Amino acid sequence: MEEQRRKRKKKKKTGFKIVLSILLVLIIGIGTYLGVLYSSVQSTFNQTHDPLTRDVSEKRSNKVNFGNQDPISILLLGVDARGNDRGRSDSLILMTVNPKDQSMKMVSIPRDTRTEIIGKGTQDKINHAYAFGGVDMTVKTVENFLDVPVDYYVQVNMESFKDIVDAVGGVTVNNSLAFNYDGYNFSKGQISLNGEEALAYSRMRKKDPRGDFGRQERQRQIIQAVINEGASVKSLTNYGTILDAIGENVKTNLTFDDMKEIQANYRDARHTLDQLEVEGSGGKVNGVYYYNVSEENRQQLSSALREHLNLN
C-alpha cells in the first residue's frame, strides 16, 4: 500500500511536467545548468513561438496574470502531418492549472468526438478542425465544446516526434498490451523504444480494446518518458541535438518569458493531478463513425473545468 502511494505521488509530480510538455523538457529538473545554456534555450524557444490570431480568448474578460497566479489552461495538440499534408490533430489534451489550490486537471478529448466545428458551421469529428483551419480553428472548437477559454497551446508534430525521442537517447515505457503495428512487435511489460518505434507505439488504435483511449494513454506515456529522459543530466551531452529537434517540431503561443513565469509561479500545482474523462458512446451517423457525448456529460465536464479556472 505504501509503495502504491509513493508511485501515485511520483505520478502527480510528473503531471506538472506534462503541462509544459516538450517545451520544458530542457528546463524542468536541470535548473542548475540553465545559466550556462540560457542563450541556446532562449533561441530555441523563440523559434517555437507562434501566436494565435487573437490575444485573449473571447471566454475571458481579461488576459491571465501570471504574477497574480490566475488559473490557466493549455491545449496540447499531437498533430499527425505527413509530407505536404497539414494533417489532423491526432491527440487533444486540455489541461487546467490552478496554483492557488495547488492542483491540475487534465482531459483527453477523443479524436472522433462529434461537435460543431467553429468557423466551418458543420458538425464533424473534433480532430477535423485542424485540417480545416489549423490551430486557431482547433482552439475555438475546443473552447466551444467545453465552454472554457484556451489560453495557450503546445503543438507537437507526431511524425517528426521520433527525432525528439532519438535526441534524448530513446525512451522506456511499461506496455500493458502486447501487439504488432507498422512492422514492429511490442511485447507486454517494460520495453525500450527508439524514435520510429515510439511513433508506431503511440499511433496504434484499432487493435486496442480501449480504442482511442488506449492510444491516448500510450501517447501520454511517450511524452512523460521523453520529459524524464530530457530532464536527466546525461541529456546535457546531447543538448544541441535536443534543441534542434524541439525547434523543428514544436509550436506554441507561449513565449520564453511566459514559460519562466509559469515555472516560477505555478510549480506547486503539481501536487494534485485529476484526470477527467469525456464519457460517451460510439455510433454511426450517415455511415460515418463518431464518438457521441451527451449534453449532460459535456456540461458536467465544462462545470468542473470552469470551477477549476475560477470562472463559475
Side-chain angles (χ1 to χ4, degrees):
M1 185 65 71
E2 181 61 30
E3 178 65 20
Q4 290 179 338
R5 279 197 293 266
R6 282 199 298 269
K7 287 182 179 179
R8 284 196 296 268
K9 186 176 181 181
K10 183 177 181 181
K11 214 169 187 179
K12 290 173 182 177
K13 287 182 178 179
T14 306
F16 183 65
K17 297 177 183 178
I18 302 175
V19 174
L20 299 181
S21 187
I22 306 304
L23 289 180
L24 288 186
V25 71
L26 304 174
I27 295 180
I28 296 176
I30 53 174
T32 305
Y33 303 90
L34 191 55
V36 179
L37 305 165
Y38 189 95
S39 178
S40 296
V41 174
Q42 183 180 35
S43 176
T44 296
F45 288 163
N46 287 341
Q47 184 181 345
T48 65
H49 184 242
D50 189 11
L52 295 168
T53 55
R54 57 105 200 274
D55 190 38
V56 181
S57 170
E58 294 179 358
K59 294 187 177 294
R60 280 199 185 276
S61 55
N62 298 296
K63 189 175 182 178
V64 295
N65 186 310
F66 296 133
N68 291 341
Q69 292 191 320
D70 293 340
I72 60 173
S73 62
I74 302 175
L75 181 66
L76 173 63
L77 298 92
V79 175
D80 193 4
R82 310 183 190 194
N84 295 322
D85 182 19
R86 173 187 277 172
R88 297 174 182 173
S89 49
D90 204 43
S91 176
L92 283 171
I93 302 173
L94 183 71
M95 305 171 201
T96 56
V97 188
N98 190 320
K100 291 184 179 178
D101 68 8
Q102 300 184 357
S103 67
M104 290 174 44
K105 292 187 185 296
M106 179 172 72
V107 55
S108 293
I109 307 173
R111 55 178 278 169
D112 294 329
T113 299
R114 192 168 190 264
T115 189
E116 180 183 356
I117 306 299
I118 302 303
K120 190 73 174 176
T122 58
Q123 293 279 326
D124 207 332
K125 297 182 179 184
I126 197 166
N127 74 320
H128 287 190
Y130 186 85
F132 293 141
V135 173
D136 284 284
M137 187 173 287
T138 301
V139 166
K140 291 177 181 177
T141 298
V142 171
E143 286 185 326
N144 181 70
F145 176 63
L146 294 174
D147 192 25
V148 297
V150 173
D151 301 309
Y152 302 101
Y153 81 90
V154 176
Q155 174 186 313
V156 181
N157 184 345
M158 297 304 291
E159 173 65 19
S160 299
F161 186 62
K162 60 181 181 289
D163 297 335
I164 299 177
V165 174
D166 284 335
V168 298
V171 296
T172 299
V173 297
N174 190 21
N175 183 24
S176 61
L177 175 71
F179 65 92
N180 297 309
Y181 184 75
D182 207 17
Y184 297 102
N185 177 46
F186 300 101
S187 58
K188 192 173 181 179
Q190 192 174 84
I191 55 176
S192 296
L193 308 171
N194 62 26
E196 291 283 358
E197 293 166 340
L199 187 62
Y201 179 80
S202 66
R203 274 182 170 161
M204 194 279 286
R205 176 176 58 135
K206 293 184 179 180
K207 295 181 180 180
D208 194 319
R210 297 173 297 166
D212 203 35
F213 290 106
R215 176 168 60 176
Q216 290 167 7
E217 173 61 28
R218 283 189 293 278
Q219 289 172 346
R220 288 195 294 269
Q221 281 184 324
I222 296 295
I223 290 172
Q224 289 178 357
V226 167
I227 291 170
N228 291 338
E229 291 294 334
S232 67
V233 174
K234 69 177 183 179
S235 291
L236 290 172
T237 59
N238 204 27
Y239 222 79
T241 305
I242 298 174
L243 285 171
D244 289 342
I246 287 180
E248 294 171 3
N249 298 311
V250 176
K251 291 297 179 183
T252 179
N253 61 332
L254 282 163
T255 66
F256 184 54
D257 288 340
D258 289 338
M259 288 185 277
K260 287 191 297 180
E261 287 212 53
I262 289 174
Q263 191 181 35
N265 296 300
Y266 290 70
R267 67 180 64 191
D268 287 340
R270 71 182 184 275
H271 293 308
T272 302
L273 171 60
D274 182 18
Q275 298 196 39
L276 307 179
E277 186 173 314
V278 179
E279 296 180 3
S281 58
K284 290 188 176 182
V285 177
N286 297 325
V288 179
Y289 176 86
Y290 294 97
Y291 188 73
N292 300 297
V293 181
S294 70
E295 181 63 18
E296 179 182 7
N297 178 253
R298 190 192 66 81
Q299 289 185 359
Q300 288 176 347
L301 193 59
S302 175
S303 295
L305 294 171
R306 289 182 62 83
E307 182 178 357
H308 196 234
L309 290 169
N310 292 346
L311 296 175
N312 286 344

